[in-house]
């Protein structure tokens, strides 16, 4: 093979590795919510907007022992509640920063497909590099 393949194969391999890493993180986050996620009704105590008009909600949930849990939920284009209203979430009790509304909890199929495609592209890029050396 020609040496001119190494540059593009290296660039493709780097992008595939980054996409593979990010897809793995997305899959792991969704799996945490699917496997050990707790569904709860929460009270919206504050809302904020970013420059793109997306809304983020600060929600409060009181656990069985009386401890209070603060959850940052979003972004939303159309939030499920306003301040003082309640809405449902699924959160990871091991990491309450991992929280989504029930309809946004991913089933994992798209992330698994992405992982497979990225792994295949990365493998192809590495084979091309190895054959070009």
């Amino acid at each position: 093979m020609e040496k001119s393949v190494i540059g593009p194969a290296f660039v493709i391999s780097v992008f595939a590795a980054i996409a593979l890493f990010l897809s793995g993180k997305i899959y792991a986050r969704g799996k945490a919510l699917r496997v050990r996620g707790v569904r709860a009704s929460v009270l919206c105590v504050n809302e904020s907007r970013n420059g793109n008009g997306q809304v983020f909600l600060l929600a409060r949930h009181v656990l069985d022992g009386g401890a209070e849990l603060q959850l940052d939920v979003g972004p939303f284009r159309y939030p499920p509640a306003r301040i003082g209203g309640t809405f449902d979430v699924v959160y990871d009790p091991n990491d309450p920063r991992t929280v989504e509304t029930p309809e946004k909890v991913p089933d994992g199929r798209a992330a698994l497909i992405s992982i497979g495609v990225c792994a295949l592209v990365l493998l192809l890029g590495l084979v091309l590099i190895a054959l070009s050396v």
Side-chain angles (χ1 to χ4, degrees), residues 5-129:
V5 174
I6 293 176
F10 179 76
V11 172
I12 289 170
S13 296
V14 168
F15 280 114
I18 292 169
L20 179 62
F21 174 77
L22 294 174
S23 297
K25 300 253 318 166
I26 290 169
Y27 179 77
R29 183 177 193 275
K31 184 177 181 187
L33 291 175
R34 288 188 308 277
V35 171
R36 65 178 176 264
V38 175
R39 188 175 181 137
S41 183
V42 297
L43 175 68
C44 177
V45 295
N46 197 5
E47 72 176 52
S48 61
R49 258 179 222 283
N50 67 10
N52 297 331
Q54 295 174 317
V55 177
F56 293 84
L57 301 179
L58 178 63
R60 180 181 305 139
H61 176 61
V62 179
L63 301 172
D64 291 336
E68 203 171 271
L69 187 61
Q70 298 275 353
L71 302 168
D72 290 311
V73 190
F76 299 102
R77 185 177 184 120
Y78 304 104
R82 295 291 181 197
I83 296 174
T86 60
F87 63 103
D88 288 340
V89 297
V90 177
Y91 71 93
D92 179 359
N94 295 349
D95 182 9
R97 294 172 299 171
T98 303
V99 59
E100 286 290 351
T101 55
E103 65 275 1
K104 285 187 172 182
V105 174
D107 64 8
R109 286 183 284 185
L112 279 177
I113 291 169
S114 179
I115 288 170
V117 169
C118 292
L120 188 61
V121 170
L122 177 59
L123 181 62
L124 178 63
L126 294 175
V127 167
L128 285 173
I129 291 169

